[in-house]
Amino acid sequence: MSHPHPELSPPPELPEGGLRIVALGGLGEVGRNMAVLEYDGRLLIVDCGVLFPEDTQPGVDLILPDFEYIADRMDDVEAIVLTHGHEDHIGGVPYLLRLRRDIPILGSQLTLAFVTAKLKEHRITPVTQVVKEGETRKVGVFDLEFVAVNHSIPDALAVAITTGAGTVLHTGDFKMDQLPLDGRITDLRGFARLGEKGIDLFMVDSTNAEVPGFVTPEAEIGPVLDDVFHQSDQRIIVASFSSHVHRVQQVLNTAHAHGRRVALVGRSMIRNMGIAAELGYLDVPDGVLIDLKKIDSLRDDQVVLMCTGSQGEPMAALSRMANGDHKIQVNYGDTVILASSLIPGNENAVFRIINGLMRLGARVVHGGNAKVHVSGHASAGELIYCYNILRPRNVMPVHGEVRHLIANGALAVKTGVPPERVVLAEDGVVVDLVDGKASVVGAVPCGYVYVDGTSVGEVSDSELKDRRILSEEGFVSIFAVVDTATGKVIAGPQILARGFAEDESVFDEIQPKVVEALEEAIAKGATDAHQLQQIMRRVVGRWVSNRLRRRPMIVPVVVEA
């Protein structure tokens, strides 16, 4: 398997007749999926998602793909193709369209409905083209064919992209549930037909490549939910992704069977399920849905609350309920169902919520103690089936952490794909398909772009480091007034500390040393305020490290009299 070198140089010019693929997100992480394909000077974008922040990224709301690679080539973009409507595939679209608003967006009916609603909040009216499985479209130099795939959201599509360089099949996120709730299976006959024509590069979902066997059918969750509802005699709160139509459908059906009413909680949940119901993807039994404001008129054993927050997102409804700062209070004896799998990196946040809910007396049902969720991603057995059906000439695992990509590549090799034709790339790595062979040819800069409130891309890694230091090590400010003419410190140093267990008087012993260091520096000719501030920082920093075993943020201020 060809491994990208960490010190790759910028790529050469794309050879005539070659196809270039650059992932700007989604390779080496679960989320932020975005791939850019270039042929004959034109660009096609597949997906544009977001990544949700971890504990080590305080204050960050979302993480976007890095658009720098294509920022000055927006006029070359023929279209954006969206494989399905999850946030990690569509969440970045509003930010990309800020660079050029009229890029055509192709996707299925539900996917485009979710995107259009999201863009409305950003005051952007998109140019959209609804496509269905089995359809073909010509978009500039790219010939597209769409194939139905099964996922944890309806209307997901794989896309076959044909150019003079060959055919690329991009699966998006998919699995091979043979008993899907909506009856829409992954079109393996379509895959086989494409395989007969020849797949030159297979870009395939890697998220579950380490998991042996086959994913459990969604249909098996219904009886588990039924059992949980049967055992619950108070309120039931179910947390799920706001776009997981299948799971909401199962909750609605189970609630109806048990004589309960369902209230949707959370703006995105209400918006998405309203769209899904309007378009016919969600079948709402008569009289089951009720407005949240009316739940107080029902007994506890008649209520189901369907909310967001299954990944521990701090501002989502479930997190706020667990912290006691939501209008819905979790009571002793309530049942909470976390109906989603853990996204890597979110474990601590989710366990915190589970602990908080249990502390309030709730019974918490989750993937660790009941089959209340099945993955939306193909396991190893399903991936091997796909390799055998398609017989691709080259394979590029996508959508996953490095371990997932490597595991997926190993499966391809097992099925007979030559190791040198399995390309393991990470974000920013440039892969060229030339004369039927895919290979790594270089890399482009590709970092994290942080959304922090209204600012996009203005928060740097060094600023996040400062935030972590402030949260973990504390803060010290030092103020002094110096008279450079006399060489004396005439006021201070005044030291203010925050985030320390010790009393501030502990800093009294360092003050004479600061005065001594400043006066010594002035005597040697140092008069620049910045220079004197750095001297104060070093003296205090060394002392705090030795005396208190801490490395706080230190902000020195020197004023000249």
Side-chain angles (χ1 to χ4, degrees):
M1 291 187 283
S2 72
H3 236 304
H5 190 277
E7 300 299 327
L8 287 170
S9 56
E13 197 171 316
L14 177 61
E16 190 173 343
L19 175 71
R20 176 160 288 176
I21 302 102
V22 184
L24 300 183
L27 269 60
E29 62 208 353
V30 176
R32 211 170 67 119
N33 298 292
M34 181 176 178
V36 179
L37 284 72
E38 178 180 356
Y39 180 76
D40 197 19
R42 307 300 292 171
L43 304 176
L44 181 75
I45 295 169
V46 179
D47 289 330
C48 183
V50 294
L51 181 67
F52 292 102
E54 298 181 15
D55 292 346
T56 55
Q57 293 151 336
V60 173
D61 300 320
L62 297 169
I63 304 168
L64 300 176
D66 189 346
F67 304 141
E68 188 62 32
Y69 170 63
I70 56 170
D72 59 355
R73 295 192 59 190
M74 295 307 291
D75 289 339
D76 296 336
V77 178
E78 296 282 7
I80 302 168
V81 175
L82 300 176
T83 58
H84 64 282
H86 279 149
E87 283 294 301
D88 59 336
H89 291 256
I90 68 169
V93 172
Y95 302 94
L96 180 60
L97 291 190
R98 289 182 184 183
L99 302 179
R100 182 185 147 204
R101 293 193 170 215
D102 64 345
I103 303 173
I105 305 173
L106 281 70
S108 64
Q109 185 183 35
L110 184 66
T111 302
L112 292 183
F114 281 180
V115 168
T116 302
K118 178 180 290 294
L119 288 168
K120 192 174 181 182
E121 295 180 2
H122 289 257
R123 296 184 176 85
I124 296 173
T125 304
V127 178
T128 58
Q129 294 181 29
V130 175
V131 293
K132 293 180 180 175
E133 56 265 29
E135 282 192 11
T136 57
R137 291 287 172 98
K138 185 167 181 62
V139 180
V141 297
F142 303 95
D143 290 316
L144 311 178
E145 180 176 348
F146 297 92
V147 184
V149 291
N150 177 248
H151 186 39
S152 55
I153 186 173
D155 243 8
L157 295 167
V159 58
I161 305 157
T162 301
T163 65
T167 297
V168 176
L169 178 59
H170 193 305
T171 64
D173 287 354
F174 85 111
K175 60 177 174 175
M176 286 162 52
D177 189 339
Q178 299 303 297
L179 299 167
L181 298 180
D182 58 3
R184 186 176 177 274
I185 63 172
T186 292
D187 184 5
L188 296 181
R189 290 189 300 176
F191 274 23
R193 185 173 42 76
L194 288 166
E196 287 296 322
K197 285 184 185 176
I199 297 298
D200 296 285
L201 180 63
F202 189 31
M203 297 176 69
V204 55
D205 180 7
S206 306
T207 315
N208 261 1
E210 290 183 314
V211 180
F214 292 75
V215 172
T216 306
E218 293 269 355
E220 293 190 15
I221 291 175
V224 179
L225 284 176
D226 189 72
D227 186 51
V228 173
F229 273 57
H230 183 72
Q231 294 176 27
S232 305
D233 55 9
Q234 286 184 217
R235 289 183 309 170
I236 296 172
I237 301 167
V238 186
S240 162
F241 290 120
S242 64
S243 54
H244 202 332
V245 179
H246 294 325
R247 195 67 71 247
V248 175
Q249 182 70 70
Q250 288 171 311
V251 171
L252 292 174
N253 294 346
T254 310
H256 183 58
H258 287 263
R260 287 181 180 254
R261 310 285 294 280
V262 179
L264 302 178
V265 185
R267 190 165 53 96
S268 58
M269 178 70 75
I270 293 167
R271 180 190 70 200
N272 288 346
M273 291 310 121
I275 291 168
E278 188 181 320
L279 296 176
Y281 294 95
L282 186 69
D283 179 20
V284 182
D286 288 343
V288 166
L289 276 182
I290 186 173
D291 192 286
L292 183 62
K293 294 172 185 170
K294 296 179 180 175
I295 62 166
D296 289 339
S297 64
L298 300 174
R299 298 194 314 270
D300 281 356
D301 63 354
Q302 295 176 312
V303 174
V304 178
L305 299 164
M306 188 82 219
C307 69
T308 55
S310 59
Q311 295 301 315
E313 307 96 308
M315 295 310 294
L318 191 66
S319 299
R320 293 164 57 203
M321 289 179 203
N323 294 333
D325 62 357
H326 195 279
K327 58 187 172 186
I328 295 166
Q329 298 294 310
V330 175
N331 299 324
Y332 189 89
D334 286 349
T335 297
V336 180
I337 303 171
L338 294 177
S340 68
S341 56
L342 279 175
I343 292 177
N346 294 349
E347 295 89 347
N348 290 340
V350 173
F351 293 146
R352 260 200 307 274
I353 285 178
I354 291 172
N355 288 326
L357 292 166
M358 294 185 79
R359 194 175 287 118
L360 294 170
R363 171 195 176 206
V364 182
V365 181
H366 54 87
N369 59 24
K371 183 58 90 172
V372 288
H373 179 74
V374 298
S375 177
H377 303 271
S379 293
E382 293 154 82
L383 293 171
I384 288 171
Y385 254 76
C386 287
Y387 288 129
N388 285 333
I389 289 168
L390 289 161
R391 291 292 174 194
R393 296 188 180 96
N394 299 273
V395 170
M396 180 177 170
V398 294
H399 303 175
E401 296 181 356
V402 172
R403 60 196 173 99
H404 304 133
L405 303 178
I406 291 172
N408 199 353
L411 295 176
V413 172
K414 278 184 181 177
T415 65
V417 179
E420 66 274 12
R421 287 183 175 262
V422 176
V423 178
L424 295 177
E426 291 185 75
D427 293 344
V429 170
V430 180
V431 176
D432 283 357
L433 179 65
V434 179
D435 297 330
K437 173 85 164 63
S439 52
V440 171
V441 297
V444 297
C446 185
Y448 277 8
V449 176
Y450 300 108
V451 178
D452 182 3
T454 57
S455 77
V456 178
E458 293 174 24
V459 175
S460 66
D461 286 327
S462 64
E463 282 157 343
L464 284 182
K465 183 182 176 185
D466 288 347
R467 291 181 183 182
R468 288 195 295 273
I469 290 170
L470 281 169
S471 67
E472 295 164 9
E473 300 286 351
F475 171 89
V476 175
S477 69
I478 325 150
F479 176 80
V481 180
V482 300
D483 185 341
T484 50
T486 62
K488 296 292 182 187
V489 176
I490 57 175
Q494 185 179 346
I495 298 177
L496 180 69
R498 289 289 179 270
F500 284 80
E502 297 82 2
D503 189 86
E504 275 187 12
S505 61
V506 74
F507 289 94
D508 291 347
E509 67 180 81
I510 189 60
Q511 287 177 328
K513 294 177 183 175
V514 174
V515 172
E516 185 183 327
L518 286 173
E519 292 182 347
E520 187 180 323
I522 295 168
K524 290 180 179 176
T527 57
D528 179 60
H530 176 73
Q531 205 176 345
L532 296 174
Q533 284 167 185
Q534 296 314 306
I535 289 166
M536 285 208 300
R537 186 199 302 277
R538 280 196 298 273
V539 172
V540 174
R542 198 178 302 119
W543 180 84
V544 171
S545 177
N546 292 337
R547 173 81 163 71
L548 304 177
R549 296 289 183 267
R550 300 283 288 278
R551 301 191 67 171
M553 177 172 287
I554 298 173
V555 179
V557 179
V558 170
V559 176
E560 292 182 42

